[in-house]
Amino acid sequence: MQRRKFLKSAAASAAAAMVFGKGAALAAEADSHIEILLNEPIGTIAPEIYGHFTEHLGSVIYDGIYVGEGSKIPNQHGLRSALLEKMRAIKAPMVRWPGGCFADSYDWRDGIGPKDKRPRRTNFWTDNFTVEQRKQNLPQIYESNDFGTDDFVRFCQLSGAEPYIAGNVRSLTPLDFDHWVEYCNSPKGTTTLAETRAAAGSPEPYNVRYWGVGNESWGCGGNFDPEEYATEFKRYTTWVPSYGVPLRFVASGPNSDEQAWTRGFFNKLLHGQPSHDMRGVWGLSVHHYAWNLGRGKSNDWDAAKGDALKFDPIDWYELCRETDRVENVILDHWTALGEFDLDHKVKLVVDEYGPWYKPGTENSPEQILGQQITVRDAVMTGLSLDIFNRNADKVGMAACAQLVNCLNSLFLTHGDQFVTTPVFNVFELYAAHQGGTALRTEFSSPEAKWDRDGKPAGFAGLKGSASLKGKTLTVTAVNADVAQPREAFIALRGAAAASAKAFVVGASDIHAHNSLGQPEQVKTRSAEVALRPGGLSFTFPAASVVKIEVALA
Ligand code: AHR
């Protein structure tokens, strides 16, 4: 601890030159310092931290993922081929479906069996359309049920991901939940539902492990209070047949930092007693979106949010702070969990996160909650993923909201047009962390500064994380400063580098984004890293996300 404080002080850096020799002299020249403590492992980074969220909302499923088997758009079983290829490229480990709020209005039976016999229903999000738009009868307005459980599991299989299904607690029964598990997991040739699945082309069970027990049960998932929800949780999860699959139930958790939910839920579930038996809870879901509400001038919720494309540096920094808050949210809920979970077995599942802007930049009216994705969103995503890495002992899964044509999307589509966004580039870079051992890191750099309603405000210039896999060290970081590059000395404590290279996501304009018409405005480029005695040096460009891949000697 002493040493870390010591390195954080610029004056002390000069003194370090005398102690550590040439490497420390270089450290003294740099304006920023990063320490990678190779002998201080935090835990294994669950690949599922790099998961995704897909909901029957606007054009996430229809048009985004599913184009239909008869489509001229290249597809496999109706699933957009270009998207599948990119999912494999980022090693997508997990996908959550069918919502979101939609989940608690969804009857899974509507989405199985012959497609031409499936019912058309009112989609949860229908009210987001005008009356005129509703008359068009798009699948995005009314739910066609063309895409159901078999399609979702196939999407996961072809993407290389594991399915995570959110059950309906608000409007279906525990028996319906049991039957959905049975449809997915009962062995070939056993139950009637296994035969129904076989008739859809899948005699072998899907072996779905991850099951969400409702979604946002404090809000659209039923307006429960935490004690009521604890009772529901028991009804839905007790004695669900497992068919030999170790089921991992994710309890619907708090909105952002509402610790009263976490405490109320576990207090009721465990009858007020801390326990070694967490009554079937594998994970606790946490949702944290980042808004620019602080600067909004309207009482209207949508109008008060910031714009995806029109923003200034202050909007940028304020959003950095909002995004960064998730680290305290994680720590606070972890502390609350610790009051009940004597072995800290329950993992936090941040299964919805990302910036959320006001409507207006979506590619077409049916893309509800659709927004353009700029360099700013790449930086916010890097910030979030580094936080999850740094808390690898606490976060068991996470899902970026949402995969395509929606909030913090990796992909935008419209008909045969398909483009990857800067958020995709970040997932591509950070895939190297999956399954690695997260290492303790210390980042120190001058703050980006701005004026917050007449008061000075600041945000750390550099933030990041590191992980180790065999002899490969992966360091990722964001430079949140929109104007200042940061020249950093990266001290490797406990190992030496044989070689290193860097990959940078960024652009000269912080508003740069890949639109359907201009798909290559933001790219990943490689950069040189200098090997120094005791570590590395690298200049992090302003407003960028960087990965440094180090081969250890
Ligand atoms: O991602 C959009 C919505 O945000 C989800 O449906 C809901 O869970 C959350 O409030």
Side-chain angles (χ1 to χ4, degrees):
M1 198 59 205
Q2 278 307 321
R3 188 186 61 196
R4 289 177 204 160
K5 273 193 191 144
F6 165 75
L7 278 161
K8 276 184 177 164
S9 131
S13 293
M18 295 190 305
V19 182
F20 296 117
K22 211 172 160 195
L26 289 159
E29 282 161 22
D31 64 17
S32 303
H33 302 270
I34 300 172
E35 284 213 31
I36 313 292
L37 304 165
L38 280 107
N39 297 322
E40 292 194 38
I42 297 169
T44 301
I45 298 176
E48 291 80 7
I49 282 177
Y50 289 85
H52 302 281
F53 172 37
T54 60
E55 177 169 7
H56 287 244
L57 188 180
S59 298
V60 176
I61 301 294
Y62 301 108
D63 189 52
I65 294 172
Y66 189 77
V67 294
E69 293 182 32
S71 172
K72 291 199 183 100
I73 300 166
N75 69 82
Q76 287 172 262
H77 304 278
L79 303 162
R80 191 184 281 271
S81 300
L83 181 67
L84 293 173
E85 189 196 311
K86 295 293 181 191
M87 291 292 275
R88 291 191 293 269
I90 55 171
K91 299 189 170 58
M94 174 279 283
V95 183
R96 176 177 184 244
W97 172 85
C101 293
F102 177 84
D104 280 287
S105 67
Y106 180 58
D107 185 344
W108 65 273
R109 285 192 187 77
D110 290 347
I112 61 167
K115 296 209 179 209
D116 58 353
K117 301 268 183 319
R118 295 186 190 173
R120 168 179 288 212
R121 303 280 188 211
T122 302
N123 183 296
F124 173 87
W125 297 94
T126 294
D127 284 350
N128 282 53
F129 292 103
T130 62
V131 174
E132 274 314 302
Q133 286 168 333
R134 275 184 235 160
K135 283 184 196 150
Q136 295 171 42
N137 274 349
L138 299 173
Q140 289 91 332
I141 294 176
Y142 294 107
E143 177 55 51
S144 67
N145 283 302
D146 276 353
F147 185 97
T149 303
D150 306 302
D151 307 272
F152 170 64
V153 173
R154 192 174 292 124
F155 172 59
C156 291
Q157 289 166 344
L158 294 173
S159 298
E162 206 169 335
Y164 166 22
I165 294 180
N168 178 345
V169 168
R170 177 172 64 81
S171 55
L172 287 184
T173 67
L175 187 61
D176 295 302
F177 185 68
D178 272 24
H179 287 166
W180 202 357
V181 176
E182 183 175 317
Y183 181 78
C184 291
N185 294 353
S186 60
K188 177 181 175 181
T190 55
T191 65
T192 301
L193 285 171
E195 282 166 16
T196 315
R197 186 187 66 229
S202 305
E204 296 303 330
Y206 295 146
N207 295 336
V208 177
R209 282 195 298 168
Y210 296 110
W211 292 89
V213 183
N215 169 75
E216 296 192 350
S217 301
W218 42 266
C220 60
N223 271 336
F224 293 110
D225 63 35
E227 291 77 20
E228 289 167 339
Y229 176 68
T231 304
E232 294 302 316
F233 182 88
K234 284 190 269 188
R235 294 178 66 228
Y236 282 76
T237 58
T238 307
W239 297 106
V240 177
S242 74
Y243 308 101
V245 179
L247 302 179
R248 293 182 162 184
F249 293 119
V250 178
S252 177
N255 183 22
S256 209
D257 208 17
E258 282 167 22
Q259 295 158 56
W261 175 276
T262 301
R263 292 199 168 89
F265 169 69
F266 282 105
N267 198 40
K268 174 78 179 175
L269 193 74
L270 305 175
H271 306 291
Q273 295 298 317
S275 178
H276 294 287
D277 173 4
M278 296 310 283
R279 312 284 157 85
V281 185
W282 177 83
L284 180 72
S285 151
V286 177
H287 293 176
H288 178 74
Y289 287 102
W291 285 284
N292 266 131
L293 289 177
R295 299 189 79 204
K297 292 196 173 37
S298 164
N299 290 329
D300 173 79
W301 174 241
D302 275 337
K305 291 179 208 147
D307 191 278
L309 291 176
K310 290 185 211 121
F311 57 87
D312 60 21
I314 297 182
D315 292 323
W316 166 295
Y317 292 132
E318 293 284 320
L319 202 67
C320 284
R321 286 162 66 113
E322 272 300 300
T323 300
D324 198 52
R325 246 176 13 93
V326 79
E327 185 146 32
N328 276 339
V329 169
I330 289 168
L331 296 174
D332 288 347
H333 288 298
W334 191 249
T335 304
L337 268 173
E339 293 165 19
F340 302 93
D341 180 2
L342 290 172
D343 308 307
H344 254 319
K345 278 192 291 216
V346 174
K347 296 292 172 200
L348 293 172
V349 174
V350 189
D351 51 12
E352 291 188 27
Y353 70 91
W356 187 324
Y357 307 111
K358 65 179 167 196
T361 65
E362 61 276 20
N363 284 317
S364 60
E366 66 270 24
Q367 298 193 348
I368 310 174
L369 307 189
Q371 57 193 33
Q372 297 296 321
I373 306 294
T374 66
V375 168
R376 174 172 62 161
D377 302 300
V379 167
M380 302 307 142
T381 305
L383 271 176
S384 307
L385 294 173
D386 283 323
I387 290 169
F388 304 153
N389 289 341
R390 291 200 295 271
N391 293 282
D393 52 337
K394 307 175 189 72
V395 181
M397 290 209 290
C400 184
Q402 299 196 13
L403 185 69
V404 49
N405 295 333
C406 194
L407 302 171
N408 201 39
S409 294
L410 285 79
F411 310 104
L412 301 178
T413 72
H414 195 223
D416 59 2
Q417 294 174 290
F418 173 81
V419 68
T420 60
T421 74
V423 171
F424 168 82
N425 296 49
V426 174
F427 272 90
E428 200 176 30
L429 290 194
Y430 279 58
H433 283 301
Q434 292 186 23
T437 302
L439 302 172
R440 187 83 51 208
T441 56
E442 291 293 326
F443 281 69
S444 156
S445 65
E447 285 196 324
K449 295 198 183 301
W450 71 100
D451 186 275
R452 185 185 164 90
D453 302 327
K455 291 191 200 124
F459 189 80
L462 293 180
K463 281 185 155 243
S465 67
S467 70
L468 184 65
K469 248 191 227 172
K471 287 270 190 188
T472 305
L473 171 69
T474 302
V475 181
T476 49
V478 301
N479 179 358
D481 198 306
V482 295
Q484 290 300 319
R486 290 287 163 223
E487 190 189 342
F489 180 75
I490 305 168
L492 303 182
R493 306 290 178 204
S499 65
K501 56 188 172 192
F503 301 88
V504 180
V505 180
S508 51
D509 179 1
I510 56 175
H511 306 93
H513 57 285
N514 298 340
S515 63
L516 293 174
Q518 294 192 298
E520 303 215 0
Q521 297 300 295
V522 186
K523 292 187 195 161
T524 302
R525 63 178 174 83
S526 57
E528 298 291 315
V529 180
L531 298 195
R532 304 290 190 204
L536 315 161
S537 54
F538 184 75
T539 300
F540 292 81
S544 70
V545 183
V546 172
K547 171 174 84 168
I548 299 179
E549 218 171 73
V550 188
L552 296 178

